[in-house]
């Protein structure tokens, strides 16, 4: 089978050398075992990095045909960069595994992915056994995130990020989802093909800093909820009905206070009610505005990304050291570089 590893990168100059060596060793082991074919590749996607990430990726492509690289015209975010890589791999592979560039995902879980694929699964999710490497705050917020997503009606896999295998058939189905507001963890379960799970232990980051601080995580959660569920709007409607009913009791209270001459005593309750209702109204308007903004983005139908440069070498990759211990020739690494350059629209 032809396997593609799709790895989005954003300012990963510190982690890339370690990541490249780890995935090279893994792919060579899979090739030696006869699990994958020599046409398999590791596809790095540079999401508009501002450091030397692209220079490192070009060097990797020139040194070994195993590596391929694509450079996006500008930073479009992790989800769009990942989709760009998957759509590029779609017509070249039998299955694609997506993973991050920080080596926190156990690369040996790929063996389990491939086993499940051979058993007939089109989608295989990598799920964490535990979150020991996370801070207490991150563990608590992650648990809250998954519970809140389920409460809002979003179907997702708990303790799963974007470490998964997708068959070509699943990738073809994914390409039919055209929304601009991407949340792949919610879209992939909607595909509906046979799926399974592989559990693994998450490691510490190999190098560099996390590209998902708290602010981005909150935006990511908001994106997932408002892209896949209208339940917040229904909650607003239910809340409005409750407030309307309570307002009837408030009116009766006001009338009774007026008739009994105790109008002044209810002033605090009235002011508190005005502030409370004002805050609720502003919150509801904000939620509605979020949905309207998403409709605005969708109807414009702007492209999700543009490819500035794509480098894929055409010759099969061979291990750096042959079974007899003999170094593979330099000429085998230098032949036939295929550069697909120019701007491509998703």
């Amino acid at each position: 089978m032809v396997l593609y590893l799709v790895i989005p990168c954003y300012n990963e100059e510190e982690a890339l050398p370690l990541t490249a060596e780890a995935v090279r060793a893994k792919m060579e082991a899979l090739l030696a075992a006869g699990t994958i074919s020599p046409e398999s590749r590791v596809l790095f996607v540079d999401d508009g990095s501002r450091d030397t990430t692209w220079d490192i990726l070009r060097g990797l492509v020139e040194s070994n045909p195993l590596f391929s690289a694509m450079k996006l015209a500008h930073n479009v975010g992790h989800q769009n960069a990942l989709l760009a890589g998957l759509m590029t791999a779609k017509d070249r592979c039998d299955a694609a595994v997506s993973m991050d560039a920080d080596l926190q995902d156990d690369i040996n879980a790929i063996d389990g992915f491939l086993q499940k694929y051979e058993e007939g699964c089109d989608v295989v999710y990598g799920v964490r056994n535990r979150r020991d490497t996370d801070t207490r705050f991150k563990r608590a917020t992650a648990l809250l995130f998954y519970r809140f997503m389920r409460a809002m009606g979003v179907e997702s896999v708990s303790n799963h990020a974007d470490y998964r295998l997708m068959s070509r058939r699943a990738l073809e189905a994914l390409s039919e989802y055209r929304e601009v507001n991407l949340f792949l963890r919610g879209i992939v379960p909607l595909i509906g093909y046979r799926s399974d799970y592989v559990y693994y232990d998450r490691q510490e980051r190999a190098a560099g800093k996390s590209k998902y601080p708290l602010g981005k995580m909150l935006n990511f959660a908001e994106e997932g909820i408002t892209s896949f569920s209208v339940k917040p709007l229904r909650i607003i409607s239910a809340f409005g009905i409750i407030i309307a009913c309570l307002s009837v009791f408030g009116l009766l209270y006001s009338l009774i206070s007026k008739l009994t001459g105790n109008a002044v005593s209810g002033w605090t309750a009235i002011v508190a009610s005005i502030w409370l209702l004002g805050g609720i109204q502003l919150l509801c308007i904000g939620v509605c505005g979020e949905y309207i903004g998403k409709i605005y983005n969708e109807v414009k139908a702007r492209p999700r990304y543009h490819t500035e440069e794509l480098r894929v070498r055409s010759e099969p990759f061979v291990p750096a050291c042959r079974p007899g211990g003999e170094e593979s020739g330099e000429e085998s690494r230098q032949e036939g570089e295929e550069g697909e350059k120019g701007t491509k629209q998703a």
Side-chain angles (χ1 to χ4, degrees), residues 82-125:
L82 178 55
L83 181 72
L86 292 174
M87 293 302 97
T88 301
K90 173 172 62 72
D91 297 325
R92 294 175 164 90
C93 69
D94 297 312
V97 172
S98 58
M99 61 183 297
D100 292 335
D102 53 19
L103 288 182
Q104 286 190 279
D105 299 320
D106 183 8
I107 197 169
N108 292 315
I110 293 176
D111 296 326
F113 288 172
L114 297 177
Q115 181 179 349
K116 297 290 185 182
Y117 171 78
E118 293 297 332
E119 292 172 1
C121 292
D122 286 289
V123 180
V124 185
Y125 301 99

Side-chain angles (χ1 to χ4, degrees), residues 1 99 102 135 165 197 273 294 301:
M1 66 169 292
M99 61 183 297
D102 53 19
T135 64
L165 176 144
Y197 309 97
S273 299
K294 280 187 166 34

Side-chain angles (χ1 to χ4, degrees), residues 144-155:
L144 181 62
F145 168 75
Y146 289 115
R147 287 181 176 176
F148 189 63
M149 293 286 282
R150 285 195 294 269
M152 290 294 103
V154 181
E155 181 182 356

Side-chain angles (χ1 to χ4, degrees), residues 83 172-179 182 187 190-192 304:
L83 181 72
E172 291 284 357
L174 179 62
S175 68
E176 297 174 4
Y177 289 80
R178 298 295 184 181
E179 54 255 56
L182 271 182
I187 292 177
L190 293 179
I191 293 175
R304 291 173 289 200

Side-chain angles (χ1 to χ4, degrees), residues 30-186:
L30 292 173
L31 177 65
T35 307
I36 63 175
S37 75
E39 286 73 32
S40 300
R41 293 287 184 270
V42 177
L43 175 61
F44 291 100
V45 182
D46 180 11
D47 184 22
S49 297
R50 298 178 181 178
D51 58 7
T52 60
T53 293
W54 181 244
D55 294 330
I56 295 172
L57 294 180
R58 285 191 302 182
L60 290 173
V61 175
E62 292 169 0
S63 67
N64 194 330
L66 168 65
F67 298 114
S68 302
M70 65 183 300
K71 178 178 176 61
L72 301 183
H74 64 283
N75 179 257
V76 294
H78 177 271
Q79 297 290 280
N80 282 309
L82 178 55
L83 181 72
L86 292 174
M87 293 302 97
T88 301
K90 173 172 62 72
D91 297 325
R92 294 175 164 90
C93 69
D94 297 312
V97 172
S98 58
M99 61 183 297
D100 292 335
D102 53 19
L103 288 182
Q104 286 190 279
D105 299 320
D106 183 8
I107 197 169
N108 292 315
I110 293 176
D111 296 326
F113 288 172
L114 297 177
Q115 181 179 349
K116 297 290 185 182
Y117 171 78
E118 293 297 332
E119 292 172 1
C121 292
D122 286 289
V123 180
V124 185
Y125 301 99
V127 180
R128 300 186 195 184
N129 276 321
R130 52 185 183 272
R131 308 183 70 101
D132 295 344
T133 58
D134 292 343
T135 64
R136 183 177 298 178
F137 175 76
K138 191 169 183 179
R139 288 197 297 270
T141 53
L143 179 62
L144 181 62
F145 168 75
Y146 289 115
R147 287 181 176 176
F148 189 63
M149 293 286 282
R150 285 195 294 269
M152 290 294 103
V154 181
E155 181 182 356
S156 63
V157 179
S158 296
N159 290 321
H160 163 72
D162 286 297
Y163 189 29
R164 69 177 76 88
L165 176 144
M166 299 184 69
S167 68
R168 177 183 287 189
R169 183 168 76 139
L171 292 173
E172 291 284 357
L174 179 62
S175 68
E176 297 174 4
Y177 289 80
R178 298 295 184 181
E179 54 255 56
V180 174
N181 301 288
L182 271 182
F183 185 68
L184 292 176
R185 299 182 200 182

Side-chain angles (χ1 to χ4, degrees), residues 192-219:
Y193 293 147
R194 181 180 172 185
S195 63
D196 209 333
Y197 309 97
V198 170
Y199 296 89
Y200 69 97
D201 294 328
R202 192 166 172 86
Q203 311 298 320
E204 294 284 354
R205 201 176 211 282
K209 298 180 180 179
S210 173
K211 306 305 184 295
Y212 261 97
L214 179 60
K216 282 192 175 181
M217 289 300 296
L218 292 175
N219 289 335

